[in-house]
Amino acid sequence: MDLDLSSLHEQVDTIRTAFSYIDRFKGHTFVIRLEGALLDHPLFPILVKDIVLLKKMGIRIAIVPGARARIDEILAANNIAYRTVEGVRVTPAEAMPFVEMAAFDVSNRIMTLLAEDNCDALIGNWVKARRLGVIDGVDFLHTGAAEKIKTEIIENLLASGFIPIFPNIGWSGAGKPYNISSSELAFTAAAALRASKLFFITDFGGVSADGFSIPQGVYVTPENIVSQLTAPQAKAFLELNRDREKTHHYELVSLAYRACEAGIERVHVIDGREEGMLLKEIFSNRGLGTMIYGDPHENIRPAAHADIPEILRVMRPFVKENVLIPRKREDLESKIGDYALYEVDGTLHACGALHVYPDKSAEIAGVAVDKLYASYGIGRKIVTFLIDRATKLGVKKLFLLTTRTADWFLELGFTEGDVSVLPLEKKVAYNKVRNSLVLVYDFLKSNT
Ligand code: ARG
């Protein structure tokens, strides 16, 4: 049987990437806000198992369950009326015992699932809250805002291997309970615990691009999910859509942006209804939901000698297909400064080079994008980076040779030329058998 090399490549990539993330996130704190409506989903116990897996590999986990659906249910069953103002529940005194009951009930259900997986968890009164008070003439009564977390206690619990569970109740200094928002609570807890990640595990697929203006350069998946936003892109997203109706998705981006500002490196919005979403989000480079992040994640940088094996790895399939000419280690060594690399969390996804000739003309060469990451516009980023580099170096004539990828380069602003445009040494080396097309970059046309 033939070995299916592309599937092997994919599996090996998955394993390597997972290892690198395990190494990276070990000892970090993740705060996970679980949408309450997920509790009744048949796969919810599997999600909890995956959370336990994270804990087993040395990630410190805190869970904040959402209780909205359960509160609605219990209030309705007991005929307690309430109203909401701009999506916030006004909690009357008679509702408060039921709100507490619902909040502890969802926490307890999660605790029970954790017990099934042999995982130690605790529910406690670690959250200090104050009353929300009167806003624009509306008295929110027993609805409160999380003010402070008893960080030291939680840190001790985390260090001793417990999963603390935060019901959406906070207490005043005098012990009066308030009904608080679990999303805000998750944010406050993550900031106080200096968590590196905050998750919103929801019952939808991530931040949807539907009905929003999306800032330039943001990758949206074929399912129309915003894949990721840097903090400045999230800010641009919020500003661009400021005048639209404030949907749940908008509020999530807004909260995630605040979280980045508060020093939480990455905020993830993922779908809890499908199996394995959490693991895929954490242990792959591209994830499956929406990530809003404030730390470096993807970047283009000049190559160094230590990168040569990885560059050869990324180029290899293209050399095999005869799209790239073969390069040896020594070829790369002598020109390593010409190469630029595109990487995501330290994994190389693409490379490309700019070789400058004595007549001040320059060549783009060795452009390769790992096929597993081919659909994210990375090739364009590398080539644009190299064109910028050429412009900064004052290159007057930029060309490249290609046999099969001409159309792609034409879209990027190259036009067809011929061998006569090549610098002398390139003309001499031109391989008539290979018969590559010569493409030339038109700086003038591309500037307009
Ligand atoms: N696995 C990485 C992390 O957890 C990157 C995830 C990227 N996710 C995304 N939706 N773009 O930090």
Side-chain angles (χ1 to χ4, degrees):
M1 198 180 75
D2 259 353
L3 185 61
D4 179 349
L5 285 180
S6 74
S7 113
L8 178 66
H9 173 50
E10 188 169 347
Q11 289 167 26
V12 168
D13 181 81
T14 307
I15 297 168
R16 279 203 193 111
T17 314
F19 273 117
S20 86
Y21 281 120
I22 292 173
D23 200 38
R24 184 186 183 110
F25 295 140
K26 210 182 283 163
H28 286 223
T29 302
F30 293 2
V31 173
I32 304 179
R33 193 261 180 200
L34 287 168
E35 174 60 50
L38 289 173
L39 258 76
D40 294 318
H41 194 280
L43 291 182
F44 189 70
I46 305 290
L47 176 62
V48 173
K49 270 195 198 333
D50 286 345
I51 294 177
V52 172
L53 261 180
L54 297 179
K55 207 205 122 213
K56 280 191 184 144
M57 68 184 64
I59 294 169
R60 296 150 46 120
I61 305 279
I63 296 180
V64 185
R68 179 176 289 256
R70 188 74 183 117
I71 295 175
D72 287 350
E73 200 182 333
I74 296 190
L75 291 183
N78 290 280
N79 286 319
I80 311 268
Y82 63 91
R83 62 185 181 125
T84 50
V85 178
E86 308 228 352
V88 179
R89 193 192 308 266
V90 177
T91 315
E94 64 274 23
M96 207 45 213
F98 296 102
V99 169
E100 287 175 83
M101 195 193 287
F104 280 89
D105 181 43
V106 289
S107 297
N108 189 36
R109 280 177 68 185
I110 292 169
M111 186 146 92
T112 301
L113 286 171
L114 289 170
E116 281 172 20
D117 296 328
N118 234 325
C119 183
D120 300 323
L122 270 173
I123 301 174
N125 60 349
W126 314 295
V127 179
K128 205 161 164 251
R130 56 175 168 77
R131 70 170 63 224
L132 210 52
V134 182
I135 302 170
D136 293 333
V138 178
D139 186 346
F140 281 84
L141 304 171
H142 292 255
T143 302
E147 210 175 34
K148 241 175 136 173
I149 308 286
K150 292 188 181 157
T151 320
E152 208 180 311
I153 300 179
I154 310 290
E155 293 284 3
N156 284 334
L157 291 178
L158 291 170
S160 327
F162 284 96
I163 293 192
I165 303 176
F166 291 68
N168 66 302
I169 303 291
W171 288 265
S172 72
K176 189 168 150 43
Y178 286 104
N179 176 14
I180 59 181
S181 143
S182 56
S183 299
E184 287 284 339
L185 174 57
F187 163 81
T188 310
L193 297 171
R194 292 193 307 273
S196 61
K197 283 187 189 295
L198 168 59
F199 287 89
F200 291 94
I201 305 191
T202 61
D203 55 354
F204 51 87
V207 174
S208 159
D210 281 341
F212 289 120
S213 305
I214 303 298
Q216 262 207 338
V218 169
Y219 175 70
V220 174
T221 69
E223 293 76 31
N224 229 13
I225 298 295
V226 177
S227 173
Q228 53 193 46
L229 296 167
T230 61
Q233 282 170 337
K235 191 170 183 216
F237 175 96
L238 295 170
E239 269 159 23
L240 271 172
N241 297 289
R242 197 177 30 201
D243 298 329
R244 293 174 198 249
E245 202 198 329
K246 299 279 177 293
T247 60
H248 183 44
H249 291 220
Y250 184 92
E251 298 297 353
L252 269 177
V253 176
S254 165
L255 189 57
Y257 175 66
R258 273 170 55 210
C260 293
E261 293 281 278
I264 296 155
E265 286 162 10
R266 298 179 180 185
V267 180
H268 304 259
V269 182
I270 58 172
D271 194 339
R273 297 165 308 171
E274 296 299 336
E275 187 199 336
M277 289 282 193
L278 179 65
L279 298 184
K280 178 84 178 171
E281 177 68 14
I282 297 175
F283 297 111
S284 70
N285 278 162
R286 286 288 167 176
L288 268 182
T290 302
M291 175 171 87
I292 294 130
Y293 61 105
D295 69 332
H297 169 56
E298 48 173 6
N299 68 312
I300 297 187
R301 62 168 176 88
H305 284 275
D307 299 310
I308 292 177
E310 285 288 304
I311 301 177
L312 290 171
R313 175 183 70 77
V314 169
M315 285 182 168
R316 195 174 141 85
F318 299 96
V319 172
K320 276 185 161 175
E321 288 171 14
N322 205 16
V323 172
L324 284 185
I325 50 165
R327 286 170 176 77
K328 287 206 268 316
R329 197 188 160 91
E330 303 79 70
D331 302 330
L332 287 174
E333 231 145 38
S334 59
K335 297 211 170 98
I336 193 69
D338 293 358
Y339 280 83
L341 307 181
Y342 172 91
E343 59 183 9
V344 174
D345 289 340
T347 303
L348 187 66
H349 286 195
C351 62
L354 183 82
H355 304 305
V356 181
Y357 291 89
D359 69 351
K360 272 271 169 196
S361 67
E363 174 186 15
I364 288 185
V367 176
V369 180
D370 187 331
K371 288 195 178 158
L372 292 176
Y373 303 98
S375 54
Y376 300 100
I378 299 171
R380 177 181 286 267
K381 285 188 188 162
I382 275 277
V383 173
T384 310
F385 180 87
L386 296 172
I387 293 172
D388 272 3
R389 189 187 261 185
T391 312
K392 286 195 191 111
L393 291 173
V395 165
K396 294 282 169 291
K397 193 163 63 189
L398 181 63
F399 65 89
L400 60 88
L401 300 181
T402 178
T403 51
R404 303 238 288 274
T405 54
D407 289 337
W408 187 76
F409 283 108
L410 292 178
E411 277 171 33
L412 292 179
F414 286 82
T415 47
E416 278 185 49
D418 59 62
V419 184
S420 68
V421 306
L422 300 180
L424 189 62
E425 49 273 76
K426 203 69 200 171
K427 257 187 221 151
V428 175
Y430 184 80
N431 181 338
K432 287 222 172 59
V433 179
R434 194 167 170 86
N435 196 21
S436 303
L437 287 166
V438 178
L439 301 184
V440 186
Y441 187 71
D442 192 338
F443 283 103
L444 286 176
K445 197 167 118 207
S446 308
N447 281 339
T448 50

Short mmCIF file of all heavy atoms in Angstrom, two decimals, residues 21 24-25 197 199 226-228 266 268-270 280-291 297 344-345, ligand 1:
data_model
loop_
_atom_site.label_atom_id
_atom_site.label_comp_id
_atom_site.label_asym_id
_atom_site.label_seq_id
_atom_site.Cartn_x
_atom_site.Cartn_y
_atom_site.Cartn_z
N TYR A 21 1.99 23.52 21.65
CA TYR A 21 1.05 24.28 22.49
C TYR A 21 1.01 23.74 23.92
O TYR A 21 0.85 24.51 24.86
CB TYR A 21 -0.35 24.28 21.87
CG TYR A 21 -0.48 25.29 20.75
CD1 TYR A 21 -0.80 24.89 19.46
CD2 TYR A 21 -0.28 26.64 20.99
CE1 TYR A 21 -0.92 25.82 18.43
CE2 TYR A 21 -0.40 27.57 19.97
CZ TYR A 21 -0.72 27.16 18.69
OH TYR A 21 -0.83 28.07 17.69
N ARG A 24 3.75 25.30 25.60
CA ARG A 24 3.54 26.74 25.75
C ARG A 24 2.54 27.07 26.87
O ARG A 24 2.71 28.04 27.59
CB ARG A 24 3.00 27.23 24.40
CG ARG A 24 2.80 28.69 24.28
CD ARG A 24 2.12 28.94 22.94
NE ARG A 24 1.96 30.35 22.72
CZ ARG A 24 2.63 31.04 21.83
NH1 ARG A 24 3.51 30.44 21.06
NH2 ARG A 24 2.44 32.33 21.69
N PHE A 25 1.49 26.26 26.99
CA PHE A 25 0.39 26.62 27.91
C PHE A 25 0.50 25.96 29.28
O PHE A 25 -0.28 26.28 30.17
CB PHE A 25 -0.97 26.28 27.27
CG PHE A 25 -1.27 27.08 26.03
CD1 PHE A 25 -1.88 26.49 24.94
CD2 PHE A 25 -0.96 28.44 25.97
CE1 PHE A 25 -2.17 27.23 23.79
CE2 PHE A 25 -1.24 29.18 24.83
CZ PHE A 25 -1.85 28.58 23.73
N LYS A 197 -5.71 32.98 29.00
CA LYS A 197 -6.83 32.81 28.08
C LYS A 197 -8.17 32.90 28.81
O LYS A 197 -8.30 32.44 29.94
CB LYS A 197 -6.79 31.43 27.44
CG LYS A 197 -5.79 31.28 26.33
CD LYS A 197 -5.98 29.92 25.68
CE LYS A 197 -4.86 29.62 24.71
NZ LYS A 197 -4.86 30.52 23.57
N PHE A 199 -12.13 31.87 27.79
CA PHE A 199 -12.98 31.21 26.79
C PHE A 199 -14.44 31.53 27.01
O PHE A 199 -14.91 31.53 28.15
CB PHE A 199 -12.85 29.68 26.89
CG PHE A 199 -11.55 29.17 26.38
CD1 PHE A 199 -10.46 29.05 27.22
CD2 PHE A 199 -11.40 28.81 25.05
CE1 PHE A 199 -9.24 28.58 26.75
CE2 PHE A 199 -10.18 28.35 24.56
CZ PHE A 199 -9.11 28.23 25.42
N VAL A 226 -15.75 34.99 11.96
CA VAL A 226 -14.53 35.80 12.04
C VAL A 226 -13.48 34.93 12.75
O VAL A 226 -13.66 34.57 13.91
CB VAL A 226 -14.79 37.08 12.85
CG1 VAL A 226 -13.51 37.88 13.01
CG2 VAL A 226 -15.88 37.92 12.20
N SER A 227 -12.43 34.59 12.03
CA SER A 227 -11.47 33.62 12.58
C SER A 227 -10.65 34.22 13.72
O SER A 227 -10.47 33.61 14.77
CB SER A 227 -10.56 33.13 11.47
OG SER A 227 -9.55 32.34 11.99
N GLN A 228 -10.13 35.41 13.49
CA GLN A 228 -9.36 36.05 14.55
C GLN A 228 -9.27 37.55 14.34
O GLN A 228 -9.35 38.04 13.22
CB GLN A 228 -7.97 35.44 14.65
CG GLN A 228 -7.20 35.41 13.35
CD GLN A 228 -5.98 34.50 13.46
OE1 GLN A 228 -6.08 33.39 13.97
NE2 GLN A 228 -4.83 34.98 13.02
N ARG A 266 -5.32 36.10 25.14
CA ARG A 266 -6.19 35.62 24.06
C ARG A 266 -7.58 35.28 24.60
O ARG A 266 -7.69 34.63 25.64
CB ARG A 266 -5.59 34.39 23.39
CG ARG A 266 -4.25 34.71 22.75
CD ARG A 266 -3.61 33.52 22.09
NE ARG A 266 -2.33 33.93 21.51
CZ ARG A 266 -1.55 33.16 20.79
NH1 ARG A 266 -1.90 31.91 20.55
NH2 ARG A 266 -0.42 33.63 20.30
N HIS A 268 -11.20 33.50 23.43
CA HIS A 268 -11.72 32.61 22.39
C HIS A 268 -13.23 32.46 22.53
O HIS A 268 -13.73 32.26 23.64
CB HIS A 268 -11.09 31.22 22.51
CG HIS A 268 -9.59 31.25 22.47
ND1 HIS A 268 -8.86 30.93 21.35
CD2 HIS A 268 -8.67 31.58 23.41
CE1 HIS A 268 -7.56 31.04 21.61
NE2 HIS A 268 -7.42 31.44 22.87
N VAL A 269 -13.90 32.55 21.41
CA VAL A 269 -15.35 32.31 21.39
C VAL A 269 -15.55 31.05 20.56
O VAL A 269 -15.23 31.04 19.36
CB VAL A 269 -16.11 33.49 20.75
CG1 VAL A 269 -17.62 33.23 20.80
CG2 VAL A 269 -15.76 34.80 21.46
N ILE A 270 -16.01 29.97 21.18
CA ILE A 270 -16.11 28.72 20.42
C ILE A 270 -17.45 28.02 20.66
O ILE A 270 -18.13 28.28 21.62
CB ILE A 270 -14.95 27.75 20.70
CG1 ILE A 270 -14.89 27.42 22.18
CG2 ILE A 270 -13.63 28.31 20.24
CD1 ILE A 270 -13.88 26.33 22.48
N LYS A 280 -9.37 21.53 19.48
CA LYS A 280 -8.91 22.00 18.17
C LYS A 280 -8.51 23.48 18.25
O LYS A 280 -7.51 23.91 17.68
CB LYS A 280 -10.03 21.80 17.14
CG LYS A 280 -9.71 22.28 15.75
CD LYS A 280 -8.95 21.26 14.95
CE LYS A 280 -8.72 21.81 13.55
NZ LYS A 280 -7.83 21.02 12.76
N GLU A 281 -9.28 24.25 18.98
CA GLU A 281 -8.98 25.68 19.11
C GLU A 281 -7.64 25.87 19.82
O GLU A 281 -6.82 26.68 19.40
CB GLU A 281 -10.12 26.39 19.87
CG GLU A 281 -9.92 27.87 20.14
CD GLU A 281 -9.94 28.74 18.90
OE1 GLU A 281 -10.37 28.27 17.83
OE2 GLU A 281 -9.50 29.90 19.00
N ILE A 282 -7.43 25.11 20.87
CA ILE A 282 -6.21 25.33 21.66
C ILE A 282 -4.98 24.73 21.00
O ILE A 282 -3.90 25.31 21.03
CB ILE A 282 -6.39 24.71 23.08
CG1 ILE A 282 -7.52 25.43 23.81
CG2 ILE A 282 -5.10 24.82 23.88
CD1 ILE A 282 -7.85 24.84 25.16
N PHE A 283 -5.13 23.55 20.38
CA PHE A 283 -3.94 22.84 19.95
C PHE A 283 -3.67 22.90 18.45
O PHE A 283 -2.86 22.14 17.94
CB PHE A 283 -4.01 21.38 20.44
CG PHE A 283 -4.02 21.32 21.93
CD1 PHE A 283 -5.14 20.91 22.62
CD2 PHE A 283 -2.90 21.73 22.65
CE1 PHE A 283 -5.15 20.89 24.01
CE2 PHE A 283 -2.90 21.72 24.03
CZ PHE A 283 -4.03 21.30 24.72
N SER A 284 -4.37 23.78 17.73
CA SER A 284 -4.01 23.96 16.32
C SER A 284 -3.69 25.43 16.10
O SER A 284 -4.06 26.29 16.89
CB SER A 284 -5.15 23.51 15.41
OG SER A 284 -6.23 24.41 15.53
N ASN A 285 -2.98 25.70 15.02
CA ASN A 285 -2.58 27.08 14.73
C ASN A 285 -3.75 27.97 14.33
O ASN A 285 -3.76 29.15 14.60
CB ASN A 285 -1.56 27.10 13.58
CG ASN A 285 -0.16 26.80 14.04
OD1 ASN A 285 0.70 26.46 13.22
ND2 ASN A 285 0.11 26.91 15.31
N ARG A 286 -4.72 27.38 13.66
CA ARG A 286 -5.81 28.20 13.11
C ARG A 286 -7.10 28.11 13.91
O ARG A 286 -8.01 28.91 13.71
CB ARG A 286 -6.06 27.78 11.66
CG ARG A 286 -4.99 28.28 10.72
CD ARG A 286 -5.14 29.77 10.55
NE ARG A 286 -3.97 30.34 9.93
CZ ARG A 286 -3.88 31.63 9.59
NH1 ARG A 286 -4.89 32.44 9.83
NH2 ARG A 286 -2.81 32.09 9.05
N GLY A 287 -7.21 27.13 14.76
CA GLY A 287 -8.39 26.99 15.60
C GLY A 287 -9.67 26.78 14.82
O GLY A 287 -9.64 26.49 13.62
N LEU A 288 -10.78 26.92 15.51
CA LEU A 288 -12.06 26.69 14.86
C LEU A 288 -13.08 27.77 15.18
O LEU A 288 -14.10 27.87 14.53
CB LEU A 288 -12.64 25.35 15.33
CG LEU A 288 -12.29 24.14 14.50
CD1 LEU A 288 -12.98 22.92 15.05
CD2 LEU A 288 -12.71 24.34 13.04
N GLY A 289 -12.80 28.55 16.21
CA GLY A 289 -13.76 29.59 16.58
C GLY A 289 -13.20 30.96 16.26
O GLY A 289 -12.53 31.13 15.24
N THR A 290 -13.52 31.90 17.12
CA THR A 290 -13.00 33.25 16.95
C THR A 290 -11.99 33.51 18.07
O THR A 290 -12.27 33.22 19.23
CB THR A 290 -14.14 34.28 17.08
OG1 THR A 290 -15.13 33.99 16.11
CG2 THR A 290 -13.61 35.69 16.88
N MET A 291 -10.84 34.06 17.68
CA MET A 291 -9.86 34.43 18.70
C MET A 291 -9.61 35.94 18.61
O MET A 291 -9.37 36.46 17.53
CB MET A 291 -8.55 33.66 18.47
CG MET A 291 -7.46 34.10 19.43
SD MET A 291 -6.01 33.02 19.35
CE MET A 291 -5.09 33.78 18.00
N HIS A 297 1.04 36.57 17.50
CA HIS A 297 0.50 35.26 17.13
C HIS A 297 1.07 34.85 15.77
O HIS A 297 1.66 33.81 15.61
CB HIS A 297 -1.02 35.34 17.12
CG HIS A 297 -1.72 34.17 16.51
ND1 HIS A 297 -1.52 32.88 16.94
CD2 HIS A 297 -2.62 34.09 15.49
CE1 HIS A 297 -2.26 32.06 16.21
NE2 HIS A 297 -2.94 32.76 15.33
N VAL A 344 3.32 31.09 12.56
CA VAL A 344 2.19 31.23 13.50
C VAL A 344 2.59 30.50 14.78
O VAL A 344 2.89 29.31 14.74
CB VAL A 344 0.91 30.61 12.92
CG1 VAL A 344 -0.21 30.64 13.95
CG2 VAL A 344 0.48 31.37 11.67
N ASP A 345 2.61 31.23 15.88
CA ASP A 345 3.03 30.67 17.17
C ASP A 345 4.28 29.80 17.03
O ASP A 345 4.34 28.70 17.57
CB ASP A 345 1.88 29.89 17.82
CG ASP A 345 0.77 30.81 18.31
OD1 ASP A 345 1.03 32.01 18.51
OD2 ASP A 345 -0.37 30.33 18.51
N1 ARG B 1 -4.16 27.39 19.26
C1 ARG B 1 -3.82 28.77 19.39
C2 ARG B 1 -4.27 29.30 20.74
O1 ARG B 1 -5.06 28.66 21.40
C3 ARG B 1 -4.35 29.60 18.25
C4 ARG B 1 -5.84 29.52 18.04
C5 ARG B 1 -6.30 30.34 16.85
N2 ARG B 1 -7.71 30.40 16.81
C6 ARG B 1 -8.46 31.07 15.92
N3 ARG B 1 -9.76 31.00 16.03
N4 ARG B 1 -7.90 31.79 14.96
O2 ARG B 1 -3.85 30.32 21.18
#
